[in-house]
Amino acid sequence: MSNMASRPIVLVGMMGAGKTSVGRTIADRLGIPFQDLDHEVERRTGKRVATIFAEQGEEAFRALETELLGELLSRSNSPVVVSTGGGIVTIAKNREMLNDPTLNVVLLEASIDQILERLPDDDARPLLRGDRRSVLESLWRSREAEYRRVAKFVVQTNGLSIDEVAQAVMRELQVAV
Ligand code: S3P
């Protein structure tokens, strides 16, 4: 494994960009651990993300997210792939942590049309209420600059399968399997 994968690979981007599936695939290919921040929040609290939002509010969810991001990154002197939730860049402390030059932060970019196709029609994502397209457009408008600021690499995912995106990320990071 080349040098790049010996540092944490952190995937950022909008919901539906494929962070979880692509992250798991890259970790499998490279034979390194995979951590998904949303799943970790759910594991630690024993509650679904949607339940945390409903019972405690978004702020409480963000506080948990920040705490766990800190924990995951501080343990990560060894190789790991970390998939974050789409809102990770909305909190200054998170952006500060992601700006660490030793991390390989990768933005998975996807058009709103692509995201709408990929997202399941369920209620797992509490911010996606009402008109999904306009919610996503407004989230992208408010987050795009921050995603780009924290990302060292940007990978386009439109029209690509999970495997193809995973390959594209590994090519970008120059990690071979
Ligand atoms: C959110 C994205 C979700 C989850 C929560 C909030 C967001 O993660 O953290 O619903 O603010 O964009 P995914 O990006 O994995 O869907």
Side-chain angles (χ1 to χ4, degrees), residues 21-75:
S21 317
V22 168
R24 188 176 291 120
T25 303
I26 296 171
D28 281 352
R29 294 265 175 84
L30 297 175
I32 63 180
F34 171 64
Q35 299 274 7
D36 181 88
L37 206 50
D38 279 343
H39 292 170
E40 199 53 25
V41 168
E42 293 186 334
R43 201 175 66 80
R44 298 287 184 95
T45 58
K47 291 180 180 172
R48 310 297 312 273
V49 168
T51 309
I52 302 172
F53 267 71
E55 289 180 353
Q56 294 160 261
E58 179 169 352
E59 240 181 85
F61 171 78
R62 296 294 171 207
L64 284 164
E65 202 180 28
T66 298
E67 189 183 326
L68 292 182
L69 179 67
E71 274 185 37
L72 291 185
L73 296 181
S74 69
R75 276 199 256 120

Side-chain angles (χ1 to χ4, degrees), residues 89-127:
V89 294
T90 61
I91 303 294
K93 179 84 187 5
N94 299 345
R95 297 196 295 268
E96 208 178 284
M97 288 192 265
L98 293 174
N99 270 325
D100 176 343
T102 69
L103 299 176
N104 291 307
V105 180
V106 183
L107 167 60
L108 298 187
E109 222 186 313
S111 68
I112 302 295
D113 282 332
Q114 181 72 84
I115 290 173
L116 284 166
E117 263 175 48
R118 286 187 190 144
L119 282 174
D121 188 15
D122 61 20
D123 57 3
R125 291 174 171 85
L127 294 182

Side-chain angles (χ1 to χ4, degrees), residues 120-141:
D121 188 15
D122 61 20
D123 57 3
R125 291 174 171 85
L127 294 182
L128 267 192
R129 274 185 306 250
D131 177 352
R132 288 185 156 205
R133 179 180 294 277
S134 56
V135 170
L136 288 165
E137 279 170 354
S138 120
L139 289 176
W140 174 246
R141 262 198 307 278

